[in-house]
Amino acid sequence: MRDVVIVGAGLAGSSLAHVLSGLGWDVLLIERRQLPHHKVCGEFLSPESQASLWALGLYDTVAALRPSVMEHARLVSRRGVSLRVPLPGPAWGVSRFALDYALATAARQAGAEVQQGVTVSGVTAVEQGYTVNLRSLEGTSMVQARAVVVACGRNPLPGLRPKTVTTGARPTYVGVKCHYADVTMPSQVDLFLFKGGYVGLSPIEDGRYNLCLLTTRAAFARAGGSAGAMLDAVTRWNPALQQQLAGGQPVPDTEVSVAPVDTGVPAVPWDTVARLGDAAVMIPPLCGDGMAMALRSAEICAPLINDFLHERITLATWQEQYSAAWQREFARPVRTGRQLQALLARAYLSDGLLALGKFLPVLARHLVRATRGQSRPLETVLPLVQQPASQDRNAMIGIPAVQKGDA
Ligand SMILES: Cc1cc2nc3c(=O)[nH]c(=O)nc-3n(C[C@H](O)[C@H](O)[C@H](O)COP(=O)(O)OP(=O)(O)OC[C@H]3O[C@@H](n4cnc5c(N)ncnc54)[C@H](O)[C@@H]3O)c2cc1C
């Protein structure tokens, strides 16, 4: 019987595995893919993330990846109306290829067993804990655990879907991302709107830039129905983006796409077990806060799991306290983020909103704040575990061959 099984080695799963292993628990972290790999993501790690990384003992691990630093965000409408706002603090730009691998490595170094290429197909509550069903190239198997946490991201397999959520008739989106070299732009995150979606462009580590877009299926089909055609089309559809990318060269093997992306699924932070990060809810990507929320949900959950494993609280108390904290922290940013996404999707409203934000910077700053969690100075945050000794970046990142695939 394992102490904890964590499903998914993304930000939420790996950071939780790192803390719980550091606290001495026997942790099994299960990831269906092989790391590292490119993931569809804007790779904008918002200012709030840093406090969570600090608390999770992972600040130095991420700083060692030498992320880019951004202090402003700029929004540009289809008609070229632009608004530049200061971020609530310095944000980091770092590829998911490097970041996810670094966090999973840190979890392993803290003592977690990390199984890659293994898929969790279902979790069942049993008398003394849980049975977790696994599937891999070797066949099927099961593992027993006292506690299970689902951190499998936004598209759970049927066996991990919350019972209360139906897919519904909402429109879904397609996500595409690609890294670029030789781009010249200020160190900021740019968000360009186009008919049917938006594109983010921002610096990451090693002097590279990440372009990531979210688009309706209709716009994807209009562009030609492939990731490459979509990347070509968005530069035509937003002249300001074309100008910004002029001279930029796509980095081979970094183009990935994912569908469907459903940004309207109702939130479920608990269903039989705790759900972290996107497995609980997805905030619209334009807020650039999904990774911060994934890390923060791990930060909130870790002490509760620790207390549960020590038998200081019951499962019901863990559920109650985690769900309440989740609602307190994330319900409002998700609601506001969804409203903002709907507003910016309409050309005349987006122009109006950006123009208004220019004349009322307080309103613009308020909107930025309303879509995100709390900013906490690092000195006020107590680490749950110690930061691992600083890691040799070259030993950790970039040795395995780049793999193509989606998120
Ligand atoms: C187009 C787009 C742009 C975005 N841009 C940004 C941005 O700029 N900034 C930001 O903060 N957020 C952004 N996000 C959101 C961000 O990517 C997510 O919020 C974040 O990745 C959530 O982390 P997670 O750990 O919850 O899930 P994930 O990162 O999705 O990790 C889940 C892991 O679980 C694994 N898994 C899934 N199912 C199973 C299974 N059954 N068994 C075993 N393993 C499994 C997956 O392979 C994956 O590695 C963006 C999202 C999209 C779609």
Side-chain angles (χ1 to χ4, degrees), residues 1 37 94 137 303 310 335 387 398:
M1 168 90 71
H37 58 257
V94 60
L137 285 177
H310 277 298
R335 203 171 47 242
Q387 313 283 328

Coordinates of all heavy atoms in Angstrom, one line a residue, residues 1 37 94 137 303 310 335 387 398:
M1 N 0.9 -1.2 0.0 CA 0.0 0.0 0.0 C 0.9 1.2 0.0 O 1.7 1.4 0.9 CB -0.9 -0.1 1.3 CG -1.6 1.2 1.6 SD -3.3 1.4 0.9 CE -4.2 0.2 1.8
H37 N 8.6 16.8 -22.9 CA 7.9 17.0 -24.2 C 7.4 18.4 -24.3 O 7.2 19.0 -23.3 CB 6.9 15.9 -24.5 CG 5.8 15.9 -23.4 ND1 5.8 15.0 -22.4 CD2 4.8 16.7 -23.2 CE1 4.7 15.2 -21.6 NE2 4.1 16.3 -22.1
V94 N 9.2 30.6 -19.4 CA 10.0 29.3 -19.4 C 9.2 28.2 -20.1 O 8.0 28.1 -19.9 CB 10.4 28.9 -17.9 CG1 9.2 28.6 -17.0 CG2 11.4 27.7 -18.0
L137 N 2.3 -0.2 -21.8 CA 2.7 -1.2 -22.9 C 2.8 -2.6 -22.4 O 2.6 -3.6 -23.1 CB 4.0 -0.8 -23.6 CG 3.9 0.5 -24.5 CD1 5.2 0.8 -25.1 CD2 2.8 0.2 -25.6
P303 N -0.5 20.5 2.8 CA -0.6 20.3 4.3 C -1.8 19.5 4.7 O -1.7 18.8 5.7 CB -0.7 21.8 4.8 CG -0.5 22.6 3.7 CD -0.6 21.9 2.4
H310 N -1.1 11.6 8.5 CA -0.8 11.5 9.9 C -2.0 11.1 10.8 O -1.8 11.1 12.0 CB -0.2 12.8 10.4 CG 1.3 13.0 10.1 ND1 2.3 12.1 10.6 CD2 1.9 13.9 9.4 CE1 3.5 12.5 10.2 NE2 3.3 13.6 9.4
R335 N -14.4 33.1 -12.9 CA -15.6 33.7 -13.4 C -15.2 35.0 -14.2 O -15.6 35.1 -15.3 CB -16.4 34.1 -12.1 CG -17.9 34.3 -12.5 CD -18.7 34.5 -11.2 NE -18.2 35.4 -10.2 CZ -17.8 35.1 -9.0 NH1 -17.9 33.9 -8.6 NH2 -17.4 36.0 -8.2
Q387 N 14.2 24.1 -0.3 CA 14.5 24.1 -1.7 C 15.6 23.0 -1.9 O 16.5 22.9 -1.1 CB 15.1 25.4 -2.1 CG 14.4 26.7 -1.6 CD 13.1 26.9 -2.4 OE1 13.1 26.6 -3.6 NE2 12.1 27.5 -1.8
G398 N 17.4 19.0 -21.6 CA 17.8 19.1 -23.0 C 18.6 18.0 -23.5 O 19.0 17.9 -24.7

